[in-house]
């Protein structure tokens, strides 16, 4: 069930359900702006999902027609999925970072995007049988996006979003996704962090779109740390204080996993699938495969760029210390 609650005067949290195991809901944020609201993030598009958004808005006496602007922290389905529907209903424009091909390509040609992921898995050493089974399970899930809409304005460094609380400054924070931005209100030191910073540390990288997702994520953590935010409104879970402590916990876990990956290849060439249990303490399964492979590959590529790892070509590819 969608739920709405006021967090601060002029800031409402819209908690929207998700169909994902382990990730029961996501947050959209409504920010008072003149005679309406700015809607930051939208929830995922799936059967019945729009009613959840309407219900959450209704609980705080808002309607979709009050939305004057849709701003997405990044182009993942749980943050951007209903953008088109909200725009259709409200006439509001969309502001988002321009690097959203990671979503556009997957939604426009799901089969090709899926084939690409299967190829990455095969190259990482996933054996034929589970690969086929996982592929069938995953294929049944839709992309979670009503339709791909291009931003009317690019959310890039220097852009501000005006609200009754004052302007929110855009900070580009790639890593979790190439299109990721955080919004910061400097007078009140409020941070809308999307999935860059969550109450519970959870690392995810879109692999294959930028040269070094894990390195980009670390740089984005430094950037957000420097803002010295007081309260974080994140893309999942409750708002939290001690933003610096959360940045530090993310940084520590990335470094720990980088060390584990380096340790895993120290004794000789290994496939990504062989490395995963050393990093995560358990082998791949259908639920975690895509996530863990992307994450581990991101660390390997980061080590490769630092001159600490290299690929041994083959089918599957193996990795060894450089
Ligand atoms: Zn995300
Ligand atoms: Zn999310």
């Amino acid at each position: 069930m969608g739920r709405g609650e006021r967090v601060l005067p002029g800031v409402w949290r819209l908690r929207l359900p998700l169909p994902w195991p382990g990730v029961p809901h996501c947050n959209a944020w409504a920010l008072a702006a003149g005679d309406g609201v700015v809607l930051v993030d939208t929830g995922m598009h799936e059967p019945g999902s729009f009613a959840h958004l309407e219900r959450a808005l209704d609980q705080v006496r808002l309607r979709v027609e009050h939305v004057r602007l849709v701003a997405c922290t990044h182009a993942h389905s749980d943050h951007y999925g209903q953008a088109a529907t909200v725009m259709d209903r409200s006439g509001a424009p969309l502001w988002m970072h321009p690097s959203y091909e990671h979503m556009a390509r997957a939604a426009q040609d799901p089969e090709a995007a899926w084939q690409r992921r299967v190829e990455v898995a095969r190259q990482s050493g996933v054996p034929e049988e589970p690969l086929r089974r996982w592929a069938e399970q995953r294929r049944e899930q839709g992309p979670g996006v009503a339709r791909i809409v291009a931003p009317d304005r690019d959310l890039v460094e220097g852009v501000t979003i005006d609200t009754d609380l004052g302007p929110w400054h855009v900070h580009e924070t790639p890593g979790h996704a190439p299109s990721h931005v955080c919004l910061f209100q400097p007078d009140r030191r409020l941070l809308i962090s999307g999935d860059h910073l969550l109450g519970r540390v959870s690392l995810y990288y879109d692999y294959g779109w930028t040269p070094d997702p894990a390195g980009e994520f670390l740089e984005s953590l430094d950037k957000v740390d420097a803002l010295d935010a007081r309260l974080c409104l994140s893309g999942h879970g409750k708002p939290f204080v001690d933003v610096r402590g959360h940045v530090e916990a993310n940084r520590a876990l990335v470094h720990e996993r980088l060390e584990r990956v380096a340790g895993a290849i120290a004794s000789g060439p290994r496939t990504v699938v062989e490395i995963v249990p050393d990093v995560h303490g358990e082998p791949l399964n259908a639920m975690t495969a895509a996530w863990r492979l992307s994450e581990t590959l991101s660390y390997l590529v980061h080590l490769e760029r630092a001159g600490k790892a290299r690929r041994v070509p083959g089918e599957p590819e193996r990795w060894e210390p450089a």
Side-chain angles (χ1 to χ4, degrees):
M1 287 291 227
R3 274 192 1 211
E5 65 185 16
R6 195 186 80 151
V7 172
L8 295 167
V11 179
W12 297 275
R13 176 187 178 202
L14 309 172
R15 207 186 78 156
L16 308 170
L18 288 174
W20 299 336
V23 193
H25 27 74
C26 60
N27 298 323
W29 300 94
L31 309 174
D35 64 350
V37 295
V38 173
L39 182 69
V40 179
D41 292 343
T42 67
M44 187 176 178
H45 171 76
E46 55 162 355
S49 60
F50 202 71
H52 288 300
L53 177 61
E54 288 183 306
R55 184 172 186 275
L57 285 166
D58 184 60
Q59 287 188 345
V60 295
R61 300 205 175 86
L62 289 169
R63 285 183 294 119
V64 178
E65 289 73 17
H66 289 134
V67 177
R68 300 285 176 265
L69 170 66
V70 181
C72 291
T73 58
H74 62 300
H76 282 162
S77 59
D78 49 333
H79 301 261
Y80 164 72
Q82 303 198 99
T85 325
V86 175
M87 293 166 77
D88 291 347
R89 285 281 300 274
S90 64
L94 169 69
W95 294 8
M96 186 169 73
H97 194 273
S99 301
Y100 62 99
E101 322 85 75
H102 63 96
M103 168 53 77
R105 286 222 233 153
Q108 276 153 5
D109 193 347
E111 190 53 34
W114 179 250
Q115 281 311 325
R116 206 172 112 156
R117 292 191 102 163
V118 167
E119 203 33 54
V120 168
R122 194 190 316 278
Q123 196 61 26
S124 301
V126 178
E128 206 60 44
E129 187 29 53
L131 187 60
R132 232 166 37 82
R133 205 157 13 100
W134 299 349
E136 276 159 26
Q137 286 173 11
R138 282 292 302 244
R139 190 172 278 157
E140 290 159 16
Q141 301 169 10
V145 175
R147 74 173 186 276
I148 296 296
V149 269
D152 296 290
R153 184 165 182 195
D154 289 344
L155 277 188
V156 289
E157 219 74 33
V159 172
T160 55
I161 295 175
D162 289 321
T163 68
D164 294 354
L165 287 88
W168 294 73
H169 296 216
V170 174
H171 296 276
E172 293 174 57
T173 48
H176 172 82
S179 55
H180 205 291
V181 300
C182 291
L183 306 176
F184 183 60
Q185 209 299 309
D187 311 308
R188 298 162 198 263
R189 290 165 53 215
L190 300 175
L191 180 72
I192 295 181
S193 65
D195 286 350
H196 176 63
L197 216 53
L198 299 170
R200 184 166 60 102
V201 180
S202 173
L203 301 170
Y204 174 89
Y205 314 105
D206 272 328
Y207 174 78
W209 301 97
T210 56
D212 178 12
E216 290 149 24
F217 180 68
L218 286 171
E219 280 174 29
S220 297
L221 286 176
D222 291 345
K223 187 187 265 192
V224 163
D225 201 5
L227 298 175
D228 195 20
R230 177 177 65 81
L231 180 68
C232 186
L233 312 174
S234 55
H236 304 263
K238 291 182 194 150
F240 57 88
V241 293
D242 188 23
V243 181
R244 176 148 289 157
H246 283 75
V247 167
E248 196 44 61
N250 273 270
R251 211 183 261 139
L253 188 60
V254 174
H255 286 298
E256 182 194 318
R257 290 194 173 161
L258 280 167
E259 272 171 37
R260 286 186 182 213
V261 170
I265 59 172
S267 54
R270 294 177 79 189
T271 67
V272 181
V273 167
E274 289 163 351
I275 295 167
V276 164
D278 284 22
V279 181
H280 296 285
E282 58 176 20
L284 286 180
N285 61 54
M287 214 84 88
T288 58
W291 180 325
R292 302 283 198 229
L293 289 178
S294 297
E295 189 186 344
T296 307
L297 274 161
S298 298
Y299 297 138
L300 285 162
V301 166
H302 184 74
L303 293 171
E304 184 182 40
R305 286 170 66 90
K308 293 177 183 165
R310 69 167 163 241
R311 297 159 205 258
V312 183
E315 288 274 341
E317 192 173 66
R318 285 167 207 279
W319 292 79
E320 65 180 9

